[in-house]
Amino acid sequence: MGDIGELAGRLREFAAVREWEHYHTPKNLVMALAGEVGELVAEFQWLTAEESARVMDDPAAAARVRAELGDVFGYLVRLADVLGVDPVEAALDKHRENERRYDPAVYRGTYRKAPPLA
Amino acid sequence: MGDIGELAGRLREFAAVREWEHYHTPKNLVMALAGEVGELVAEFQWLTAEESARVMDDPAAAARVRAELGDVFGYLVRLADVLGVDPVEAALDKHRENERRYDPAVYRGTYRKAPPLA
Amino acid sequence: MGDIGELAGRLREFAAVREWEHYHTPKNLVMALAGEVGELVAEFQWLTAEESARVMDDPAAAARVRAELGDVFGYLVRLADVLGVDPVEAALDKHRENERRYDPAVYRGTYRKAPPLA
Amino acid sequence: MGDIGELAGRLREFAAVREWEHYHTPKNLVMALAGEVGELVAEFQWLTAEESARVMDDPAAAARVRAELGDVFGYLVRLADVLGVDPVEAALDKHRENERRYDPAVYRGTYRKAPPLA
């Protein structure tokens, strides 16, 4: 996979060269992220579960989905960079918490919300 | 930064061990992503621009923001994995497109939406 | 159905009595709306289409869905009030536009995105 | 203000005439709602708090915001209709709960999250 640190650096430079840093407050970036997620959701809203699983088989839909996912990922990495958060480490921490919350012996096959960890 | 391929692999295994793959259609994962983005937005909704820029100075707020960002990033990487998309490459492609759309000589200091590339 | 003007008035007074108007900029209210929509989405993310159609048959799920829908509706009406927009008239205008865009003879049974009106 | 029951009826008929009811599961409608909210958020993402408060002074921006708000409101009313929920009553119930949660003597001037009601 591509390198996330390089992506963060390029997005930082993109904003600096255009003198757009004043737009890139965490508040504004989280809104931009929400807006792009809305566009990604819209690609899937009328699809059945089965159609959504085959969405990448159609070249036109696949290109749109990949482009929207790229927009979402870009804003999320930019937000993480501005906040000084390593998004992979943050996700791994939540993953480790979920491994403790969701014992496979209890939750196998059926999801339901687990109580928070004590 | 942490390794995104390793994160994707762990999330894949997490779902497999719990036999939750039937939940992880692209349609469902994009909804889970939207839900987590909503929680991240909620952390910033009443903050001024200035307060949002200092949000990581408060340890309690910083922990909540980092945890929500981790949830968003995890679902986005899981979605990309299920779709077979490299999110970093998808974001870099959009970044290169934006570099061509937004000429610094024209857009310096002030954002406005550029017309799509021909 | 309940009266939307009365709801808008009560929400206006709620903010005034608490001196919270400075929080209720359109920017902040649209974020609050997005956050609440995320909570509503989360109620449906792991449900199949069929399960989602029966969600109100389960009293606990029905109460959660109704409460989240109420939160979303409240923030949307508050936002419309602050902007000076009549949300019903705005929706009816879009509805009339959609009636012209989507000729039943062409679109019956299958949705696809129509070109914008000339 | 316009009549919400009439709007719900028109949207119901719009779907019936086009035989689109099979698309209008609660799951799909909540996704459509999230997608439209993303478009509304995007109108505000780069605005300062002050600019957002004056957004309706610019006719072009005002028309876009009103149209997006209309889209959001339409999907929310359609979702409520499909679920059999009166959205005004649901919002009023949450409002009454918030009046009990947020004592003006305690919360005047400064918002912080109140504990849930016992």
Side-chain angles (χ1 to χ4, degrees), chain D residues 93-105:
Chain D
D93 282 353
K94 287 304 296 261
H95 166 67
R96 284 184 276 263
E97 192 180 310
N98 285 329
E99 284 197 308
R100 284 182 292 134
R101 277 181 77 185
Y102 294 96
D103 179 347

Side-chain angles (χ1 to χ4, degrees), chain A residues 36-115:
Chain A
E36 295 296 344
V37 167
E39 295 193 42
L40 189 58
V41 170
E43 289 295 329
F44 292 94
Q45 66 197 17
W46 306 129
L47 303 188
T48 65
E50 296 69 30
E51 287 166 348
S52 90
R54 297 190 309 263
V55 72
M56 303 307 278
D57 294 350
D58 173 44
R64 288 197 310 271
V65 165
R66 187 178 182 277
E68 297 301 350
L69 197 150
D71 281 337
V72 173
F73 197 81
Y75 274 122
L76 185 53
V77 166
R78 177 70 181 138
L79 173 65
D81 189 48
V82 166
L83 291 171
V85 169
D86 181 327
V88 181
E89 288 303 326
L92 284 170
D93 282 353
K94 288 303 296 259
H95 166 67
R96 283 184 279 262
E97 194 181 308
N98 284 329
E99 284 196 309
R100 284 182 294 134
R101 277 180 77 185
Y102 293 96
D103 178 348
V106 176
Y107 291 93
R108 182 165 292 127
T110 308
Y111 171 80
R112 60 192 178 281
K113 201 179 183 83

Side-chain angles (χ1 to χ4, degrees), chain C residues 14-25:
Chain C
F14 181 85
V17 166
R18 283 155 190 81
E19 297 173 12
W20 284 359
E21 285 118 330
H22 63 101
Y23 290 118
H24 286 195
T25 62

Side-chain angles (χ1 to χ4, degrees), chain D residues 14 26 28 36 41 43 46 52 61-62 97 103-104 111 113 117-118:
Chain D
F14 181 85
N28 287 5
E36 295 297 344
V41 170
E43 289 295 328
W46 306 129
S52 89
E97 192 180 310
D103 179 347
Y111 172 81
K113 203 181 180 83
L117 292 171

